[in-house]
Amino acid sequence: MEICFSLPKVGWYNAILQPGFHLPYPDDTLAFVVLSTPSMFDKALKPFVNKERLKIIRDPVDQCVSHHLSRVKEKFPDQKVDVIFDYEILPSRKPKFLAQTAAHVAGAAYYYQRKDVKLDPWEKKKIYGVCIHPKYGGWFAIRGLLLFPDIQVPFLEQSAPVDCVSTEEKRIELLELFNFHWQDGRYRDIIEVKERYSEEQKAYFATPPAERFQLLGDCFTE
């Protein structure tokens, strides 16, 4: 599967969040943030769907990611490995982990938020933040978190994410595009990217989840 693993430890994540969002592990616990790259669609999802078509009972992407992360776990038979997926929620309806925060503290992608703009132009409007990857811009996704509860890494040094949208004007443009024009995907190209989603992939993700199965016959035949 075409994924990237970025290395944080739990304490970096917990240190910047309210207790209600803390992960219930010691601070020095080893973790990996899992990202999918644009090529995941052709190299992982399409082969998975073609092979497992009759076994797919929920979102194909989620099931594909689950399949491949299960294979990762199998590579560590002597280690306890916990997996948290980006779509999982607690009984309180809070997400089990904040994916964009995790990507930021892992150094994988910079999480641009309202507080990163000095002259706030939005007044009382609700403004959501967004992660930008230095290579893929907005053309990637955060899929999950792998945790190794029995591995403690007290001497691991934190790497800061690349600040690739460094000007005030560009940060305002990014947050404007993401919050008010997210459907057209222009925010994804706020920087020059090395790779982006194919037209086929764009069409798939632009389709409401309940209707994506209708595309399988067209998009996933070899």
Side-chain angles (χ1 to χ4, degrees):
M1 183 179 184
E2 290 295 302
I3 56 177
C4 300
F5 294 95
S6 291
L7 179 68
K9 60 180 182 179
V10 168
W12 301 342
Y13 174 89
N14 286 349
I16 62 172
L17 293 172
Q18 296 295 321
F21 289 102
H22 285 186
L23 294 170
Y25 298 86
D27 282 351
D28 290 328
T29 302
L30 179 65
F32 291 88
V33 175
V34 182
L35 310 180
S36 63
T37 68
S39 57
M40 180 272 283
F41 189 79
D42 286 322
K43 293 185 177 181
L45 180 62
K46 291 172 72 173
F48 173 78
V49 170
N50 282 326
K51 182 179 179 182
E52 306 289 340
R53 185 184 300 270
L54 297 180
K55 300 179 184 178
I56 293 176
I57 58 174
R58 51 187 171 88
D59 183 87
V61 173
D62 291 345
Q63 200 160 333
C64 176
V65 171
S66 177
H67 166 76
H68 284 285
L69 292 188
S70 293
R71 293 182 62 186
V72 171
K73 288 182 65 173
E74 292 171 1
K75 300 293 185 182
F76 301 94
D78 299 325
Q79 292 289 342
K80 176 176 172 57
V81 183
D82 293 338
V83 181
I84 306 176
F85 296 101
D86 65 300
Y87 53 81
E88 290 187 280
I89 59 174
L90 297 167
S92 64
R93 308 302 295 175
K94 290 180 180 179
K96 284 193 173 181
F97 83 107
L98 300 181
Q100 297 198 106
T101 299
H104 185 94
V105 300
Y110 201 107
Y111 184 23
Y112 291 97
Q113 302 176 72
R114 187 174 196 156
K115 64 182 178 65
D116 295 308
V117 173
K118 295 178 181 177
L119 300 176
D120 189 323
W122 298 293
E123 297 180 346
K124 296 182 179 180
K125 292 180 181 177
K126 177 70 174 178
I127 299 295
Y128 294 95
V130 60
C131 274
I132 296 295
H133 190 281
K135 180 178 180 180
Y136 303 115
W139 301 103
F140 77 103
I142 305 161
R143 298 298 182 186
L145 195 62
L146 293 174
L147 298 120
F148 291 76
D150 297 330
I151 299 180
Q152 302 296 300
V153 285
F155 302 112
L156 189 66
E157 294 185 3
Q158 187 171 8
S159 297
V162 177
D163 181 4
C164 49
V165 187
S166 56
T167 68
E168 179 89 348
E169 293 76 16
K170 277 293 185 181
R171 290 179 179 182
I172 291 173
E173 180 184 356
L174 169 64
L175 294 176
E176 287 271 349
L177 289 174
F178 180 69
N179 281 273
F180 308 121
H181 308 281
W182 63 269
Q183 296 96 331
D184 62 26
R186 285 182 291 156
Y187 79 90
R188 299 180 188 271
D189 286 313
I190 195 67
I191 62 169
E192 184 175 344
V193 300
K194 303 292 185 182
E195 187 180 353
R196 58 173 56 86
Y197 292 175
S198 65
E199 292 303 315
E200 181 181 65
Q201 187 172 181
K202 290 178 188 177
Y204 178 79
F205 286 116
T207 301
E211 300 173 18
R212 289 175 183 173
F213 279 103
Q214 299 175 18
L215 299 179
L216 296 182
D218 296 330
C219 291
F220 296 100
T221 53
E222 293 181 326

